[in-house]
Amino acid sequence: MSRATPAADDGGPALELLVHGVGGATPQSMLDDPRTVRVTGDETAAVFRRTEDADAEDHPERYRDRPVPEAYCWANLTSGNGARALWLLLLPFMVVNLAHWMRPPARDAARAVRLYGVLVRLVALSLTVLFTAAACEVALDLAAWQCAGSAECADGKSWLGFLSPERHGWWSPPGRRLALAALVPAALTGLLWYLSNRTWSAYESQQPLGAAGDDEPDAPALSRPGFWYGRRLVARLRAAHTAAGFLTVAAAVTGAAARRDRAAEGTALDALGWLLTAALLVGAAVVVGVVCGRGRSESRLDEHLDRAVIASLPAAALGLLALSMVYASWERPGWASHSTLPGDRTFGIIALAQGVLVVLLAGVALALRRRAHDSRTALSGLGGPAVALLACALGGVMTGGVAQRVADWLDGSGTPGAARDVFTGPPPLLTWQASVIPALLALLVPAVAWFAWRTWRTARAEEPGLLADYPGERPDAARSRRIAHARARAGLTDRAPAFLGIVGAATLLLGAGALAGSWTTGQVPGRAAADAPGAVASAADTVQALGSWFTGLGFLLFVTWGRRAYKDASARRTIGILWDVGTFWPRAAHPFAPPCYAERAVPDLAWRMNTWIGRTAGGRLVISGHSQGSVLAAAAVWQLPARTRRSVALLTYGSPLERLYGRWFPAYFGRPELTALHRELHCWRNLWRATDPIGGPVLPGTNVDRGPLLDPLAFGRTQRHPLPAPILAHSDYQADPVFAEERTALLDELTPALPHQR
């Protein structure tokens, strides 16, 4: 591969490394040739060439006037088979992980930055406890405690019949029913641990290049050698969250039995219950300490693992769970299950803790923002707290939806918590939280209408001057309207922070109201308002019914929409940018979040660029990234040694580097960081269109950006475009002649240039 290398003063061979964006692309479409061959990589991510270019290094004379094209395909890292649609069920974990990376930039504020990370990790831990508590609610409370404890409910359910007290079987006492049902949430926790460990090995265990050498305190974070290798932190968090799950199940089992034993003071079981409770509290304190104790280490490749924590903590928690199951299974004559499982205020405590943590996080974010204010930062630096609140709300919707649907299924024709005493149903807070969803949607209708009106007004204002971009064209009102509306709709991306702020504020207020209502009344909204005037009582019943079905419908949409998104390419593009932004970032807050594809893709690209330039003795290289591929390309260039960067040019198009990443993740893609990358690169060009809802300018006021490009390429019918040219928006940038022009210019700017190119 290295023979027949041209001399350095001849310019050397040139390589164009193409990186696709959201939704993926085949190597055949990227290289515009049906015959391709994989030159390096595996089934998950690989580099392809056209078959005729497979031996390009051996025949440099063929490529004097054009670069060797290569395509890096990473679509299988985020899509792959349809089973990965189940990752959507981990959406709250992914969203809270995003909040970690959305902190405002700050210099000389190490303590505030650490506090910000600790608070986000605690919110993430509360989500794990919430999901485990929801599994306990379904398995222990609804199934084993309430339904199995009632002959009327258990009748006709063969899978519950052997637990019924009417059968007088070994499993019929409440404690043994709870111990058996505890296997379900314990198995769920074990499954989350397994998936996190397996996906780390498959996606994120790649060794970065580790030669950037930019470990100085003021260097951009993305250039640090250990940024894309968070093995130590993920392993610690995985152990802590797994232990938290086991401890939550153990607390549910122990709490019910200990409450029964406290009624008979002075017994050995009572003392054992207090001892187990104390052990669970100590375990919870250790888990919180592990989560708060250590953040990310990025200045070097940290291969050290805290093996004592990783091995001992989950094992100790699992041992406490086993002891609690044995303790609950002990014979207690006369013990019967009534109403709900003790500890039904757990969800309220979790919701209150999440609200307090989010408010504290907002305070820290505002303090950081005052140190380095940037008007382009989304929500004035409050994007992280808003997204953390959104993660908590999503978790509440998903867990509440599952609990209410299971309760409806178990109770048959009854309405849990509303009219029957046989089956009480889930805790009132879950019903209150569901009941505020119609109110939230009602509040969002005016906001959506306002954004639609603003878009319409922007399009109307754009129409009269649109022909100035197409001199000599005849007016066409319908064509002008379509183009103007495409540009106006693309501008909605820049208004997304305002919409998220409205959603966040409304969610916080309505969530606080739901928590206060459930704790004040202790009943579901319909029963709490039973003695109110007729209109109020009717409204309470209506929102309760609507909210219940909205939560159930929302959970079903998560599954069906996710399945369709990974089966249907067009549906994937609809939500692809949000999903790919979420899984771009390493798992720094929640270890059970979907895997980070960039911890595989960025080292792949950095290694490929470094080895090409090394083998070709300084050959020139243009890395060409579209959409999310431009973010991967920039991140990979940051990881290159300074000497290698001088032989690399960057071509980005449809890039969200500043429009999305710079605004929402200013500490990593802010103006200073992108400016530093521009200085370190020999040359960089960015192409963008006014009709593109995702891409935009990267560094306005510099020579990096070229745009807005004309879209469509022709206004009316011309000799070159006899049929109406399509509005391309975010796709097919290569169709614009400017693309080939800028690629050639970048190769010319790389030194040394070929003599005939000057």
Side-chain angles (χ1 to χ4, degrees):
M1 292 290 286
S2 61
R3 65 184 179 87
T5 300
D9 59 3
D10 194 33
L15 178 72
E16 181 184 16
L17 182 56
L18 299 162
V19 188
H20 65 74
V22 172
T26 64
Q28 292 79 13
S29 63
M30 295 175 69
L31 298 172
D32 197 21
D33 194 314
R35 299 170 301 161
T36 61
V37 59
R38 185 172 68 195
V39 295
T40 183
D42 54 24
E43 293 79 7
T44 304
V47 172
F48 295 84
R49 284 185 183 177
R50 298 182 300 185
T51 303
E52 63 185 61
D53 298 327
D55 57 349
E57 287 86 352
D58 296 333
H59 301 281
E61 68 279 357
R62 300 177 186 171
Y63 304 95
R64 297 292 185 181
D65 56 349
R66 63 184 178 91
V68 180
E70 284 189 352
Y72 177 69
C73 297
W74 54 275
N76 284 340
L77 287 171
T78 55
S79 55
N81 58 52
R84 294 185 188 176
L86 295 176
W87 283 354
L88 268 181
L89 300 179
L90 307 178
L91 183 61
F93 301 161
M94 182 191 79
V95 174
V96 77
N97 193 68
L98 274 181
H100 171 89
W101 302 103
M102 297 175 75
R103 68 168 177 84
R107 304 290 182 189
D108 303 323
R111 290 185 178 179
V113 170
R114 283 197 296 270
L115 179 58
Y116 184 96
V118 167
L119 290 173
V120 175
R121 292 198 295 274
L122 288 175
V123 175
L125 181 64
S126 74
L127 284 174
T128 297
V129 175
L130 174 64
F131 269 63
T132 311
C136 291
E137 171 62 26
V138 170
L140 276 70
D141 186 15
L142 297 179
W145 183 267
Q146 295 189 40
C147 191
S150 166
E152 183 179 349
C153 181
D155 186 34
K157 298 179 177 67
S158 58
W159 57 280
L160 273 180
F162 73 100
L163 299 177
S164 175
E166 303 295 327
R167 302 288 182 89
H168 302 289
W170 193 87
W171 290 106
S172 60
R176 293 172 186 171
R177 281 188 268 135
L178 294 178
L180 182 62
L183 295 176
V184 174
L188 175 63
T189 302
L191 176 63
L192 290 174
W193 174 89
Y194 168 76
L195 291 176
S196 176
N197 188 63
R198 180 176 176 272
T199 53
W200 163 259
S201 301
Y203 296 92
E204 299 160 301
S205 60
Q206 306 299 314
Q207 282 277 1
L209 192 59
D214 295 332
D215 55 353
E216 296 83 3
D218 294 332
L222 290 169
S223 68
R224 295 171 186 165
F227 187 89
W228 299 107
Y229 195 71
R231 181 186 184 192
R232 185 177 188 180
L233 177 63
V234 172
R236 284 174 59 90
L237 290 179
R238 184 188 305 123
H241 282 246
T242 303
F246 289 145
L247 291 175
T248 302
V249 183
V253 175
T254 302
R259 183 177 179 180
R260 170 67 175 79
D261 293 336
R262 281 196 292 270
E265 297 181 3
T267 64
L269 286 177
D270 183 29
L272 183 57
W274 282 110
L275 186 62
L276 268 176
T277 302
L280 291 174
L281 290 175
V282 171
V286 172
V287 167
V288 172
V290 170
V291 169
C292 297
R294 181 183 297 275
R296 283 173 56 83
S297 175
E298 299 171 351
S299 59
R300 59 188 176 87
L301 289 178
D302 195 351
E303 288 284 357
H304 178 73
L305 292 178
D306 305 306
R307 299 193 181 277
V309 171
I310 294 171
S312 303
L313 192 56
L318 187 59
L320 285 176
L321 173 58
L323 286 176
S324 69
M325 294 168 67
V326 172
Y327 164 68
S329 299
W330 212 264
E331 187 70 32
R332 293 173 175 84
W335 187 20
S337 56
H338 298 288
S339 185
T340 61
L341 188 69
D344 58 351
R345 288 211 168 189
T346 301
F347 290 96
I349 296 172
I350 295 173
L352 179 61
Q354 289 176 339
V356 171
L357 289 171
V358 168
V359 171
L360 292 175
L361 188 65
V364 176
L366 288 175
L368 289 171
R369 171 184 169 272
R370 283 196 293 268
R371 291 175 174 265
H373 176 63
D374 185 353
S375 59
R376 288 286 294 170
T377 301
L379 286 178
S380 298
L382 292 177
V387 167
L389 181 63
L390 177 61
C392 297
L394 287 172
V397 169
M398 293 177 67
T399 56
V402 171
Q404 292 202 352
R405 295 283 69 79
V406 171
D408 288 341
W409 172 56
L410 291 174
D411 202 27
S413 59
T415 304
R420 296 183 63 183
D421 295 326
V422 173
F423 193 92
T424 306
L429 176 62
L430 298 183
T431 304
W432 276 89
Q433 288 177 333
S435 300
V436 303
I437 294 178
L440 177 62
L441 296 178
L443 288 175
L444 294 182
V445 168
V448 172
W450 184 80
F451 282 112
W453 177 75
R454 283 287 303 271
T455 303
W456 178 80
R457 283 199 60 183
T458 303
R460 288 293 301 270
E462 184 89 20
E463 286 184 42
L466 195 143
L467 272 180
D469 295 335
Y470 300 92
E473 294 282 357
R474 291 183 298 178
D476 184 339
R479 181 71 161 169
S480 295
R481 189 177 304 112
R482 283 194 293 270
I483 299 173
H485 277 274
R487 294 181 180 181
R489 286 193 299 270
L492 284 173
T493 303
D494 299 318
R495 300 191 180 101
F499 184 77
L500 181 61
I502 295 172
V503 173
T507 301
L508 183 62
L509 293 175
L510 291 173
L515 181 61
S518 66
W519 276 12
T520 302
T521 64
Q523 298 175 325
V524 297
R527 297 195 67 178
D531 297 331
V536 176
S538 177
D541 286 333
T542 301
V543 296
Q544 178 178 324
L546 288 175
S548 175
W549 285 108
F550 275 140
T551 54
L553 179 63
F555 180 77
L556 291 176
L557 285 178
F558 275 125
V559 179
T560 56
W561 194 17
R563 181 74 178 180
R564 180 171 176 262
Y566 286 107
K567 287 290 187 180
D568 181 10
S570 62
R572 169 154 173 77
R573 292 188 186 98
T574 304
I575 64 169
I577 185 63
L578 298 176
W579 188 257
D580 286 352
V581 166
T583 52
F584 169 80
W585 295 100
R587 293 186 270 198
H590 207 300
F592 298 156
C596 166
Y597 63 87
E599 288 197 324
R600 164 69 191 269
V602 171
D604 279 0
L605 291 169
W607 275 101
R608 181 55 187 155
M609 289 188 285
N610 198 56
T611 54
W612 160 267
I613 291 173
R615 286 187 172 187
T616 56
R620 299 162 300 146
L621 187 150
V622 173
I623 181 168
S624 174
H626 171 240
S627 185
Q628 191 67 17
S630 69
V631 184
L632 291 174
V637 171
W638 252 311
Q639 288 284 299
L640 293 175
R643 180 180 178 181
T644 305
R645 287 197 199 110
R646 290 194 290 268
S647 298
V648 174
L650 179 60
L651 177 59
T652 56
Y653 40 100
S655 174
L657 271 170
E658 196 282 333
R659 195 177 191 184
L660 292 179
Y661 282 84
R663 298 188 68 188
W664 292 99
F665 309 98
Y668 304 93
F669 287 96
R671 176 86 181 196
E673 284 70 25
L674 294 177
T675 301
L677 180 62
H678 181 212
R679 286 197 305 265
E680 295 165 6
L681 275 174
H682 187 85
C683 38
W684 180 7
R685 292 292 184 277
N686 177 66
L687 312 179
W688 64 282
R689 300 182 179 123
T691 55
D692 191 339
I694 297 173
V698 171
L699 283 172
T702 67
N703 64 346
V704 170
D705 295 298
R706 179 163 180 181
L709 306 182
L710 277 182
D711 186 34
L713 291 172
F715 183 81
R717 299 174 187 265
T718 64
Q719 290 291 333
R720 187 172 182 179
H721 299 277
L723 298 180
I727 299 175
L728 297 174
H730 187 59
S731 63
D732 206 6
Y733 272 81
Q734 289 90 337
D736 197 311
V738 173
F739 181 88
E741 176 186 329
E742 289 296 339
R743 180 183 59 190
T744 302
L746 288 175
L747 288 171
D748 287 344
E749 289 182 31
L750 286 174
T751 55
L754 292 175
H756 72 274
Q757 289 179 323
R758 290 172 181 163

